[in-house]
Amino acid sequence: MAEDKTKPSELDQGKYDADDNVKIICLGDSAVGKSKLMERFLMDGFQPQQLSTYALTLYKHTATVDGKTILVDFWDTAGQERFQSMHASYYHKAHACIMVFDIQRKVTYRNLSTWYTELREFRPEIPCIVVANKIDDINVTQKSFNFAKKFSLPLYFVSAADGTNVVKLFNDAIRLAVSYKQNSQDFMDEIFQELENFSLEQEEEDVPDQEQSSSIETPSEEVASPHS
Amino acid sequence: MMCTAKKCGIRFQPPAIILIYESEIKGKIRQRIMPVRNFSKFSDCTRAAEQLKNNPRHKSYLEQVSLRQLEKLFSFLRGYLSGQSLAETMEQIQRETTIDPEEDLNKLDDKELAKRKSIMDELFEKNQKKKDDPNFVYDIEVEFPQDDQLQSCGWDTESADEF
């Protein structure tokens, strides 16, 4: 599909401070089925916005939680996950995380720890759901997975192909995001806002063709800054 | 004309794809031989399969034969033309059409990643329940046991030190 060159202003993350907006991020290796899960949940509403400048895919959804209309933005990685690291802005103001592995591929399970470590660097408190996708061989659901147990994270066995537990997964993630938002202190968001401004100011000084490499380098700067 | 594909195979000499099918009108088992021309040990199996499947003369007969199967048959032919044994070719096809669960796809280039995704998509589509399917249910919930009685997945031992 044609890429939508959305203007930076349309990716304003300030809106996530509003009561009726939540941001839910997806993490996990390439080809674990993140997009297929989104497609199965959204069905006819599946209209991905490919924001190549930001290396992410955005899915919009409207949900009703306890009688209240909630505008949900799902963020997906659009191939950036191959570097096994996301830009800080991906995590900024996120209210919940869906972390996916392919139950047919051991390496994607082992890599969860890398994703989780990075998630907690930027979002120490948000709810995180671990998802075992592609449970199309029923025997795989008869196993226990210590990673989720170790960190007391909910684990969902799902299949994007036949739809098992997909709707429940996303609806629960939305509920958790709303609940987190109502109960959390957003102190960390203030800090990241400052880091974000710092990062953006730096990028503005670069010439356009350096922006890509600059944005790739930024994560390490972000990580270094809090300790300096 | 309607027909039901029964078997589809490869003939090495002279090269041809052979389809055994059942004609619905007469209920008879028939054979269709589709000669393979301009195919060498350097040819691209995917393209050859696509060309055959879209060939106006053969298209209706091959409707029930998947592109993947035709690709495999051309792989066998290419192996034969390369002087490979059947066992060698089968091993190569197996390697190219399954996913190594230990391979980290994050480390592949675009082309190799696309290959792996294509293989997974084939399996996905076999299992897929689509909105237009009869008996489609949007929200399917299944409870799976999550107690300590479960056998360990066996993937945690090596990483115990990491957590």
Side-chain angles (χ1 to χ4, degrees):
Chain A
M1 89 176 340
E3 287 179 339
D4 180 9
K5 302 281 187 179
T6 310
K7 297 174 181 176
S9 59
E10 295 189 29
L11 244 207
D12 172 28
Q13 303 208 55
K15 68 175 180 179
Y16 297 128
D17 290 331
D19 282 350
D20 56 351
N21 283 83
V22 294
K23 171 182 170 180
I24 298 176
I25 58 176
C26 296
L27 292 176
D29 280 4
S30 296
V32 293
K34 301 185 290 297
S35 298
K36 289 279 203 281
L37 287 167
M38 293 296 329
E39 183 170 7
R40 180 56 174 77
F41 174 63
L42 297 171
M43 299 297 288
D44 289 343
F46 182 68
Q47 291 163 11
Q49 295 180 34
Q50 202 83 31
L51 311 182
S52 61
T53 307
Y54 296 87
L56 74 91
T57 306
L58 185 63
Y59 303 91
K60 291 180 174 295
H61 175 66
T62 302
T64 303
V65 177
D66 299 330
K68 185 177 182 183
T69 300
I70 303 293
L71 305 178
V72 187
D73 279 359
F74 291 102
W75 287 42
D76 197 0
T77 54
Q80 183 70 19
E81 72 272 28
R82 293 166 66 190
F83 305 107
Q84 290 188 267
S85 182
M86 303 303 297
H87 191 278
S89 62
Y90 190 79
Y91 297 99
H92 186 46
K93 290 185 190 287
H95 301 105
C97 175
I98 295 172
M99 210 159 64
V100 186
F101 72 99
D102 175 348
I103 204 164
Q104 312 282 343
R105 293 194 292 124
K106 173 180 178 179
V107 65
T108 68
Y109 174 72
R110 300 287 308 273
N111 284 341
L112 289 180
S113 61
T114 302
W115 288 115
Y116 191 66
T117 298
E118 181 173 89
L119 170 68
R120 289 315 186 196
E121 281 174 9
F122 294 107
R123 281 327 246 153
E125 305 289 338
I126 66 172
C128 177
I129 299 178
V130 180
V131 179
N133 187 24
K134 309 192 194 184
I135 56 160
D136 302 300
D137 169 5
I138 203 72
N139 288 321
V140 296
T141 60
Q142 305 301 309
K143 311 282 187 179
S144 71
F145 292 89
N146 278 344
F147 176 84
K149 216 178 291 182
K150 178 96 180 179
F151 295 101
S152 302
L153 306 174
L155 170 62
Y156 285 58
F157 292 106
V158 309
S159 167
D162 70 19
T164 298
N165 290 337
V166 171
V167 174
K168 177 174 171 56
L169 162 66
F170 283 102
N171 284 336
D172 285 359
I174 294 168
R175 230 168 251 118
L176 286 171
V178 171
S179 174
Y180 168 80
K181 185 164 197 178
Q182 289 165 352
N183 296 289
S184 76
Q185 300 288 335
D186 276 339
F187 174 70
M188 289 301 292
D189 277 332
E190 300 298 326
I191 295 181
F192 278 109
Q193 186 64 59
E194 291 304 313
L195 293 173
E196 181 94 345
N197 291 339
F198 177 77
S199 170
L200 288 175
E201 284 164 18
Q202 255 204 344
E203 284 175 13
E204 282 165 13
E205 293 169 10
D206 293 333
V207 296
D209 56 357
Q210 287 180 11
E211 277 179 8
Q212 186 61 39
S213 61
S214 174
S215 68
I216 290 174
E217 288 163 8
T218 303
S220 63
E221 293 175 23
E222 293 281 356
V223 171
S225 294
H227 308 287
S228 61
Chain B
M1 95 100 95
M2 296 284 293
C3 73
T4 303
K6 291 296 183 181
K7 294 179 184 177
C8 191
I10 182 76
R11 184 179 73 188
F12 289 144
Q13 196 80 277
I17 300 288
I18 298 181
L19 176 70
I20 308 295
Y21 65 96
E22 185 177 84
S23 166
E24 276 198 13
I25 299 177
K26 302 175 182 176
K28 291 182 177 177
I29 301 296
R30 306 179 76 91
Q31 172 180 273
R32 183 172 180 84
I33 300 176
M34 294 163 276
V36 172
R37 304 188 178 93
N38 302 316
F39 185 87
S40 77
K41 61 184 180 182
F42 303 110
S43 297
D44 184 281
C45 297
T46 302
R47 186 180 305 169
E50 284 167 358
Q51 284 173 353
L52 184 68
K53 198 154 162 58
N54 292 315
N55 185 312
R57 283 181 294 145
H58 305 315
K59 191 170 184 176
S60 59
Y61 296 91
L62 294 173
E63 209 162 293
Q64 293 176 345
V65 182
S66 73
L67 191 65
R68 183 77 59 199
Q69 184 176 349
L70 293 175
E71 280 179 32
K72 286 186 185 179
L73 294 177
F74 278 107
S75 293
F76 279 114
L77 179 56
R78 190 171 64 177
Y80 169 81
L81 296 173
S82 303
Q84 263 178 283
S85 73
L86 200 60
E88 282 170 337
T89 302
M90 288 183 71
E91 185 184 316
Q92 181 183 335
I93 291 174
Q94 176 73 10
R95 217 164 41 235
E96 290 172 1
T97 59
T98 56
I99 303 293
D100 176 1
E102 303 281 349
E103 183 179 34
D104 191 339
L105 304 193
N106 297 325
K107 295 176 166 46
L108 301 180
D109 63 32
D110 286 345
K111 185 179 177 183
E112 289 297 315
L113 178 59
K115 269 192 205 172
R116 308 292 192 281
K117 284 192 170 181
S118 172
I119 295 168
M120 289 187 257
D121 277 348
E122 188 179 7
L123 181 60
F124 176 86
E125 279 154 20
K126 277 180 188 171
N127 291 317
Q128 190 177 21
K129 299 287 171 49
K130 294 184 177 181
K131 187 186 166 196
D132 300 327
D133 291 347
N135 305 322
F136 173 83
V137 176
Y138 174 59
D139 187 357
I140 301 175
E141 293 191 22
V142 179
E143 198 79 32
F144 295 106
Q146 293 208 22
D147 55 29
D148 292 331
Q149 299 293 319
L150 288 179
Q151 175 188 352
S152 167
C153 63
W155 290 351
D156 289 300
T157 309
E158 300 166 41
S159 55
D161 295 340
E162 292 178 24
F163 290 98

